[in-house]
């Protein structure tokens, strides 16, 4: 069977595609996973979320992310990658906004679990769509724009939770603004990442040796274990440390 040749992609066409991927990553991964970090101190002070419950809610999100990554890797999902990406972004927006609708730690944990699954789906399918098309069109260097979305989303999470946007009792506003921002990102992503037509299947990378893959999984797992506590609780830790961070109202 002859291989279909993909014409080179012009930068003016490739850049919007990369920006679409960037926005998908920013919304689902940057906001969907990391908005909990700056919201946590206010949820503890105003919604009664204690340290133990906060840990369980965070763990539920990571468990959902793991489950979503494993499910997204199953055969059959990649055929409708754009549809799954869009559905996962919509789920991320919904679960983020619904965090404002309850005070129950169990409900928060379930929402964060579903949000974690949505984050993983977007990461897998948006990356597959965007990076494959950029590489096939000779614009592989723009994949850096796509993956920069995670950092952009973390920055936006901090901005959403800043005193300039929400009052001292505004933990609900943080989640509502995050959900609204994700809806806007979904609209932009659907515009900037059009359906794929006429592209050949992206060739699978050569297989790793079992021992090499095992070492990679162990190393990456240790990396995650090392960062996950501080990445989730760093804001709460700083606010609990006397003399490190002052009053939220005055900034003193």
């Amino acid at each position: 069977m002859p291989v279909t040749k993909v014409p080179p992609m012009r930068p003016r066409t490739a850049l919007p595609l990369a920006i679409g991927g960037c926005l998908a990553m920013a919304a689902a991964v940057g906001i969907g996973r990391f908005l909990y970090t700056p919201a946590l101190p206010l949820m503890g002070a105003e919604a009664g979320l204690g340290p133990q419950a906060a840990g369980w809610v965070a763990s539920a999100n990571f468990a959902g992310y793991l489950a979503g990554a494993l499910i997204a890797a199953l055969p059959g999902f990649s055929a409708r990658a754009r549809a799954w990406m869009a559905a996962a972004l919509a789920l991320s927006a919904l679960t983020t906004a619904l965090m404002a609708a309850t005070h129950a730690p169990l409900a928060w944990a379930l929402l964060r679990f579903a949000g974690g699954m949505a984050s993983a789906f977007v990461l897998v399918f948006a990356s597959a769509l965007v990076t494959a098309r950029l590489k096939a069109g000779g614009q592989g260097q723009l994949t850096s724009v796509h993956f920069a979305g995670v950092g952009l989303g973390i920055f936006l999470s901090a901005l959403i939770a800043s005193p300039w946007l929400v009052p001292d009792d505004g933990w609900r506003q943080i989640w509502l603004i995050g959900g609204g921002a994700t809806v806007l990102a979904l609209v932009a992503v659907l515009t900037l990442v059009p359906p794929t037509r006429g592209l050949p299947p992206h060739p699978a990378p050569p297989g790793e040796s079992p021992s090499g893959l095992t070492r990679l999984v162990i190393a990456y797992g240790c990396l995650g274990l090392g960062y996950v506590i501080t990445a989730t609780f760093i804001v709460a830790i700083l606010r609990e440390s006397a003399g490190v961070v002052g009053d939220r109202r005055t900034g003193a």
Side-chain angles (χ1 to χ4, degrees), residues 173-214:
Q173 286 92 323
I174 292 174
W175 292 108
L176 292 174
I177 294 171
T182 304
V183 171
L184 294 177
L186 170 59
V187 174
V189 169
L190 292 179
T191 302
L192 296 171
V193 184
T196 56
R197 292 188 180 93
L199 286 179
H202 193 62
E208 295 278 351
S209 67
S211 60
L213 181 59
T214 300

Side-chain angles (χ1 to χ4, degrees), residues 26 37 51 64-65 75 94 106 154 160-161 214:
T37 297
Y65 188 80
L94 180 63
L106 178 59
I154 294 174
I160 288 170
T214 300

